[in-house]
Amino acid sequence: MSLTDDLTAVQRCLDDLVRSVSRLEQRVGADGLEIRRVRTDADHLRESLALLRETAPEERPRPEMVPVPDAPYNSALWSDVDDEGLGARDRHAP
């Protein structure tokens, strides 16, 4: 799961929490200290998640994986190249 997916999942859960707190307020009443604390805590969580979204690092797309075969390469591909540090195959070092 990516960071964006995780943040979206947390946002959905917080939205469910806020809806549940609203239903609870209707049943219990919004005057009590306890329900006001629950509402305030839910609002703080939403604000904190918004700040986290703003400061979260951007996700970079993963580079495409290129499979490298285990079979040896065709030697004709390397017929006219120099060996690094050794010079050409058919010549001797000075």
Side-chain angles (χ1 to χ4, degrees), residues 52-70:
L52 183 61
R53 270 188 191 274
E54 291 174 10
T55 60
E58 290 185 26
E59 289 186 2
R60 296 181 185 142
R62 287 188 171 177
E64 181 182 343
M65 299 296 285
V66 178
V68 178
D70 291 332

Side-chain angles (χ1 to χ4, degrees), residues 10-85:
V10 171
Q11 183 66 51
R12 271 189 250 121
C13 291
L14 279 175
D15 292 342
D16 290 342
L17 175 66
V18 169
R19 282 191 293 273
S20 297
V21 168
S22 295
R23 286 193 303 266
L24 190 60
E25 278 179 328
Q26 291 173 354
R27 288 187 174 189
V28 175
D31 296 336
L33 175 64
E34 296 82 10
I35 195 69
R36 283 187 291 167
R37 287 184 67 186
V38 170
R39 167 60 70 190
T40 302
D41 289 345
D43 290 340
H44 284 191
L45 284 172
R46 291 179 83 180
E47 291 171 8
S48 296
L49 182 64
L51 289 173
L52 183 61
R53 270 188 191 274
E54 291 174 10
T55 60
E58 290 185 26
E59 289 186 2
R60 296 181 185 142
R62 287 188 171 177
E64 181 182 343
M65 299 296 285
V66 178
V68 178
D70 291 332
Y73 289 106
N74 181 356
S75 60
L77 292 173
W78 314 109
S79 61
D80 62 343
V81 297
D82 293 341
D83 285 330
E84 195 171 306

